[in-house]
Amino acid sequence: MTAIDAAKLTADLIRCPSVTPQEGGALVLLEALLSDAGFSCTRVDRGGISNLFARWGEKGHAQTFGFNGHTDVVPVGDEAAWSVDPFGAEEKDGILFGRGATDMKSGIAAFAAAAIDFVTNTPPDGAIVLTITGDEEGDALDGTTALLEYMDQENEQMTVCLVGEPTCPNEMGEMMKIGRRGSLTAYFTFTGVQGHSAYPHRANNPVPVMARLMDQFASHTLDDGTDHFDASTLAVVTMDTGNPATNVIPAECRATLNIRFNDAHSGASLTEWMRQTADQLSDQTGVGIDMDVKISGESFITPPGALSDLVAAAVEAETGRKPELSTSGGTSDARFVQHHCPVVEFGLVGKTMHQVDEQVPVAQIHQLKDIYSRILRDYFS
C-alpha cells in the first residue's frame, strides 16, 4: 500500500466544512480510509454530534496505543477578511491555508496516516485506537465523553493516549502537555431595589455591591503555583446593568468571571469560596446575590514517566528539540481521557489557530507524521 500523504489528507479534511456541530464529511472520509486499512470503525453519534471510533488489532489488548483528536472547527468569522477560501485548502509557497489547518485537521491527518502506514508495513503485537470527535470546539458534551462511554460499554480500552492538539508556541518540538488547568465560569445576578437616583436612600443599589464583590475576587491571590502548574488566574469578563437611564437606580445587574485553576483547587472548593464570599456581602448589604457555576473541567496531570519520556524522545529525535513538559493553555479533551488512561498531548505550532488565514507549513505536517510514526515504532518495540 502506498504511504498516506498526511498533507494531502489535511487538505482533503479542510475542504470538509465541519464547523461545530456539522460533520461536513470529515468523519465519512476518515472512516472510509481507515476501514480500507483494516481498522474496525464505529460511528458513535450522540446529541446531533458525529464521532468516530476506530481500532486496529485485538480488542482489549494490554498494549493498545490511542490517539485522540477532533475534526470540528470554529466559525470562519468575517469571510471577507480571509485572503483565501477558508475551506479551499489552498497551498502557497509551502504553506497550507484553511480553517482547521492548525487546529487540528493536520494533527488528525498526521496520526491517521502514521497509524495506517504502521499497521500496513509492520503490524504490531498490539492494537491502535483512534477516537475522533466532532464536538471539541463546542460544548464537548457529546464528543469525546460519548466515545469514552461507548468504550466502557463495549469493553474497549486504550493503555495510553496521545492527543494531537497544537502544543508548540513558536517552534516545532518545543513543548508538549502533560496536564491542563481546570476551568470554571461563574455567573452572578445581583438584585436590589429600584429607585430614583436623586433619592438613593429609598432604593438599594446593586451596582456598587457588584463592583465590590468583583473587586474582592479579582484582588484575591488564589495561589502562587504548584510543582507542575503556574499560579491560578481569575478574570472578571463582564459587568452589566442594561440600564440606559441616568436618573434610575436599577433593580438588577449581572457579572461573570472565569477562573483557570491548578491542582491546589477543585471546582467544588472554588465554588464554595465564592458562595461564602457572596453570601457575606449579601448579608451586609441586603442585596440578593445568586450564583450559577459551570465547571468545564478539573485540573489534572499525568506525572512525568514512561509516556512523556516516549513522546519526548521521539520529538527530540525528529526535531532536535527536547520538549518542555507543560500544563499551560486552555482546556482540551485530554481532561476527559485522563479518567480512562494516562494521556499527554503533542502537536503543531498553534500560532494561527482560530485566526483569519489559519495556516500550517506543509513540511510541519510531514514532520508531525514522522514523530507519530516514531512514537508507534518505539511503543510497540
Side-chain angles (χ1 to χ4, degrees):
M1 183 176 178
T2 304
I4 302 296
D5 186 330
K8 181 182 182 302
L9 180 54
T10 301
D12 290 341
L13 290 171
I14 289 171
R15 294 187 186 100
C16 301
S18 53
V19 178
T20 312
Q22 301 301 314
E23 187 272 329
L27 291 180
V28 173
L29 188 160
L30 288 166
E31 182 176 0
L33 187 68
L34 290 163
S35 295
D36 287 346
F39 281 76
S40 173
C41 295
T42 304
R43 285 288 290 271
V44 188
D45 297 356
R46 190 176 79 179
I49 298 297
S50 300
N51 304 296
L52 178 65
F53 174 85
R55 170 177 43 80
W56 185 97
E58 178 187 344
K59 178 179 180 178
H61 196 286
Q63 229 181 345
T64 300
F65 194 95
F67 287 103
N68 173 266
H70 64 92
T71 53
D72 63 313
V73 298
V74 297
V76 301
D78 181 7
E79 190 168 345
W82 286 68
S83 66
V84 296
D85 177 356
F87 298 109
E90 185 174 338
E91 183 181 334
K92 296 190 290 188
D93 299 323
I95 306 294
L96 181 62
F97 290 80
R99 177 57 82 223
T102 299
D103 188 13
M104 59 164 288
K105 289 182 173 178
S106 48
I108 296 282
F111 70 59
I116 290 171
D117 287 356
F118 183 67
V119 300
T120 301
N121 298 320
T122 53
D125 179 15
I128 297 176
V129 163
L130 277 59
T131 53
I132 305 172
T133 179
D135 189 33
E136 196 274 346
E137 301 290 7
D139 292 333
L141 299 175
D142 295 301
T144 292
T145 53
L147 286 160
L148 292 170
E149 288 173 18
Y150 164 81
M151 291 177 67
D152 287 342
Q153 293 165 5
E154 298 297 321
N155 294 316
E156 297 278 5
Q157 70 171 42
M158 297 181 289
T159 310
V160 294
C161 183
L162 174 60
V163 178
E165 287 278 3
T167 57
C168 301
N170 297 295
E171 302 291 338
M172 189 67 173
E174 66 183 326
M175 183 178 289
M176 60 183 288
K177 308 284 186 179
I178 59 169
R180 292 278 188 166
R181 296 181 297 176
S183 175
L184 69 78
T185 302
Y187 304 88
F188 294 87
T189 301
F190 301 81
T191 305
V193 177
Q194 183 172 321
H196 197 299
S197 61
Y199 305 96
H201 58 286
R202 296 176 180 170
N204 191 358
N205 194 343
V207 177
V209 178
M210 173 176 67
R212 284 172 60 186
L213 184 63
M214 292 302 106
D215 181 62
Q216 280 184 257
F217 288 145
S219 301
H220 180 76
T221 299
L222 289 168
D223 57 73
D224 296 316
T226 63
D227 288 346
H228 294 289
F229 288 87
D230 292 335
S232 301
T233 61
L234 183 153
V236 178
V237 295
T238 187
M239 296 196 297
D240 306 288
T241 65
N243 178 22
T246 60
N247 61 349
V248 175
I249 291 171
E252 186 176 278
C253 54
R254 300 172 186 274
T256 305
L257 61 80
N258 180 262
I259 302 178
R260 301 301 173 109
F261 56 94
N262 60 33
D263 54 351
H265 311 275
S266 68
S269 69
L270 290 167
T271 299
E272 179 62 20
W273 164 65
M274 289 187 292
R275 180 72 274 164
Q276 289 181 0
T277 305
D279 285 348
Q280 184 177 18
L281 186 57
S282 179
D283 291 343
Q284 293 171 0
T285 62
V287 169
I289 305 176
D290 292 325
M291 182 181 75
D292 183 38
V293 176
K294 178 182 178 181
I295 301 172
S296 301
E298 300 286 349
S299 67
F300 76 92
I301 188 165
T302 299
L307 179 56
S308 57
D309 290 348
L310 170 76
V311 175
V315 171
E316 186 172 12
E318 295 293 337
T319 69
R321 296 185 180 90
K322 185 175 182 178
E324 174 189 351
L325 306 184
S326 173
T327 58
S328 62
T331 58
S332 76
D333 277 0
R335 70 188 190 272
F336 305 125
V337 179
Q338 60 102 5
H339 296 295
H340 178 88
C341 67
V343 58
V344 298
E345 302 175 56
F346 179 78
L348 294 173
V349 175
K351 287 193 291 187
T352 67
M353 56 184 176
H354 296 201
Q355 293 185 5
V356 168
D357 281 353
E358 183 177 350
Q359 58 191 263
V360 59
V362 171
Q364 280 190 13
I365 303 175
H366 294 305
Q367 191 174 34
L368 186 61
K369 178 189 174 183
D370 290 342
I371 291 169
Y372 291 158
S373 297
R374 182 179 288 271
I375 290 170
L376 289 173
R377 291 196 304 271
D378 292 349
Y379 178 77
F380 287 106
S381 67

